[in-house]
Amino acid sequence: MRLAFMGTPDFAVPTLRALVEAGHDIAAVYSQPPRPAHRGKKLTPSPVHQLAEELGLEVRTPVSLKGDEEKAAFAALNLDACVVAAYGLILPRAVLDAPRHGCLNVHGSLLPRWRGAAPVQRAILAGDETTGVTIMQMEAGLDTGPMLLKGETPVARKTAGELTQEIAELGARLMVQVLGDLAAYPPVVQPDEGVTYAAKIDKAEARLDVSQGAAQVERQVRAFNPMPGAFFELNGERLRVHAAEIIWPIPCAGRGPSPDDSVQHDGQEMGPRLRGEPGEVPPGTILDDQLTIACADGAIRPTIIQRAGRPAMPIEDFLRGFAVEPGTVIA
């Protein structure tokens, strides 16, 4: 098939590569314009842009597709279909309608759950047991178009980075499958039930919210790894948490666990839950010299941590050069 491809970040790279390997004719690749990156703030092409150039494909980087000139240039490609994966620009009606089979999107959730900008992170934060990818026909609404094919995967204890890569690879395979026989995948209208919206991640959300239970705090760590990175402040210094474990029961609480009241977190047994007076250990309190942090329910212990301007390291190495005073409260 004669295709255009629209995508920008790493999530979109497997789909572009898969389309080329499947033998499709890629008439043009659209990607966001180069952005300043790294310490020198040098203009850097997107991951999709870089791959397209390696493959010898034509790359277009318009700031917008709304102008008549851009619409005409797209229509002139005479496409069978346009494949979109995390492109980042709104597609006008003229662009959506130009290809003979329209525009098909690789969306990183099981629609209609988690329409919007951050479906992977929101699935982790919500404690979803499964997520996946949907190949959908694009229309004017936000991820509201009919669905052609879905693929599912467990969330388990994966980080957003790990889950995004897994979904990206799955989406690439499914898109090639759909394009191989479009007639075999008739569009199915999304149901009205079960619609949720995956709002864009605000950096402020990445501060560990120890007023929540330990299970939810641990999900924060995974949902914001690699970006923007979960963090807390201790003695005026910001510490980024790359990984953490849940601790049951709370150390030093002076109470024994109830043997018949165990805790499961995202499908895994986490050990006995404490029963005791709520608020006995204020959330945010450092409980021991291993940097165990009390939450509203249970505690977490960072296992990989990073100081500003330094590499991430295991908690054991970090503690050799960073004194932790039990009883201190994090911010």
Side-chain angles (χ1 to χ4, degrees), residues 281-316:
V281 181
T285 302
I286 295 177
L287 300 167
D288 56 22
D289 60 2
Q290 299 301 304
L291 200 55
T292 304
I293 303 168
C295 302
D297 181 8
I300 65 157
R301 180 181 294 150
T303 57
I304 301 177
I305 200 164
Q306 182 178 15
R307 300 178 73 173
R310 303 190 186 185
M313 61 183 69
I315 189 65
E316 296 83 4

Side-chain angles (χ1 to χ4, degrees), residues 130-219:
T130 59
T131 187
V133 65
T134 304
I135 306 301
M136 57 169 287
Q137 187 89 41
M138 296 183 71
E139 59 180 30
L142 177 64
D143 301 326
T144 58
M147 306 173 293
L148 282 68
L149 183 62
K150 289 184 179 183
E152 195 170 299
T153 187
V155 173
R157 301 292 300 284
K158 300 165 191 170
T159 67
E162 293 165 342
L163 196 53
T164 296
Q165 183 61 34
E166 184 177 331
I167 289 172
E169 297 287 351
L170 175 59
R173 295 193 297 271
L174 296 187
M175 181 59 78
V176 169
Q177 183 177 332
V178 167
L179 291 173
D181 187 5
L182 271 173
Y185 301 97
V188 176
V189 175
Q190 292 187 37
D192 294 330
E193 300 78 20
V195 174
T196 58
Y197 291 94
K200 183 178 179 180
I201 298 298
D202 188 313
K203 289 183 179 180
E205 293 181 75
R207 182 185 294 272
L208 294 187
D209 184 5
V210 291
S211 69
Q212 302 288 319
Q216 187 60 36
V217 176
E218 191 273 341
R219 288 179 189 138

